Amino acid sequence: MTQAKTFKALLVEEQQDHTFTKSVVERNISELPENDLLIQVHYSSLNYKDAMSASGNKRISQHFPHTPGIDAAGIVVSDKSGTFEVGQQVLVFGYDLGMNTPGGLGQMISIPANWAVACPKTLSLKEAMTYGTGGLTAALCIQKLEKMGAKPSDGPVAVTGATGGVGSISIALLKQLGYNVVAFSGKPEQSDKLKALGASEILHRDVMLEVKDLPAGKTKWAHGIDTLGGDYLTGLLKQLKAGGGVASVGLAASAEIAMSVIPFITRGISLLGVDSVYIPLADKKHIWHRVATDMKLPNLENYQQEISLAETPEYLDRFFQGQVVGRYVVNVQNA
């Protein structure tokens, strides 16, 4: 594979007044870190963490200028470790990609070889990024609930933040696996889309807050996947059926929860944390295998919107404007 000396990337820069700008620029290969694996990125996707990095959030990215993008799907240009062949299709998500290591919103990345996995043969690079970190997190949530013993016959599964990347894929995957899904969202105008994804019922997310001041509420849902945190998560836990579990993966509303242990003791419920960043490589390979087989969704094109690299500044801003709907796949070569 011919190796270009320059490539295009989204670059976030800190200005003298401590504001941050983002623009697509041309960079040199020599500006990438020295690592074993060099990848030409074809597709990436947008996640809330990318938006935080692109806004200059130094809890996510400490050093600027910086290229965000915690997801990447592309072709191996070279591999000093001998792990992959030149031209092989690979996927990268998690670890430090897009945080302090230049990420997938650039046409080239240089990473340790043990951050990448081979792309399953039943998935194209674009299909893989339709899942991306958001979709993989959704799959990990369902797998965590399954390990706890969850099954479709238990009853309805509540999904909060239903129109977001994790929430929307969670609904589709749960439906495919036979679960009855209740979707919670602050965007009632998206109800038809959520039903098309597989939700049997759409409720406003504030329903979760009706038990805010109670130690527990009436039991309504067998299990749940929560992407919001805060009072929404506690409201979900307080209304969970006995023996149920909630997979927690987000903090869009708040990173804090405040509740008594009463529902945990009297109903035997479980709060399950799900990590998609630092899980072992073997576990990443396993979950990619699942989304390429029993969790592969039909008509994947319907679950995403393709955008160009040039459009990413505008779409990253949407995460803070409450305008995100579904998954955004970035055609990185279309700059």
Side-chain angles (χ1 to χ4, degrees), residues 39 41-50 67-74 90-99 101-107 109 111 115 125 128-137 166 276-277 284 288 319 327-330 332:
I39 299 170
V41 180
H42 285 233
Y43 290 96
S44 184
S45 72
L46 299 188
N47 302 278
Y48 188 69
K49 189 175 285 186
D50 300 320
T67 295
I70 62 172
D71 291 336
V90 293
L91 310 174
V92 189
F93 75 106
Y95 301 111
D96 191 52
L97 185 73
M99 296 176 68
T101 300
L105 295 180
Q107 294 175 336
I109 58 173
I111 62 168
W115 287 8
L125 293 177
M129 286 298 99
T130 298
Y131 290 100
T133 290
L136 265 286
T137 301
V166 176
S276 62
V277 179
K284 291 190 176 186
W288 273 116
F319 283 84
R327 297 279 297 149
Y328 299 124
V329 173
V330 183
V332 181

Side-chain angles (χ1 to χ4, degrees), residues 60-71:
I60 304 299
S61 301
Q62 285 78 43
H63 307 291
F64 294 86
H66 174 64
T67 295
I70 62 172
D71 291 336

Side-chain angles (χ1 to χ4, degrees), residues 79-101:
D79 182 9
K80 298 175 186 176
S81 75
T83 305
F84 300 99
E85 298 178 359
V86 172
Q88 187 172 357
Q89 295 188 347
V90 293
L91 310 174
V92 189
F93 75 106
Y95 301 111
D96 191 52
L97 185 73
M99 296 176 68
N100 292 294
T101 300

Side-chain angles (χ1 to χ4, degrees), residues 29-38 100-102 109-112:
I29 294 287
S30 60
E31 296 178 82
L32 292 173
E34 283 286 338
N35 285 305
D36 284 339
L37 187 58
L38 184 65
N100 292 294
T101 300
I109 58 173
S110 175
I111 62 168

Side-chain angles (χ1 to χ4, degrees), residues 6 18 60 64 83 89 96 107 122 124 134 154 165 171 184 205 214 232 282 286 288 297 301 311 321 331:
T6 63
H18 302 297
I60 304 299
F64 294 86
T83 305
Q89 295 188 347
D96 191 52
Q107 294 175 336
T122 54
S124 69
D154 293 342
I171 292 169
F184 289 83
R205 65 185 183 185
L214 301 174
Y232 297 102
H286 175 73
W288 273 116
L297 296 167
E301 193 74 21
E311 293 176 290
Q321 298 166 354
N331 184 338

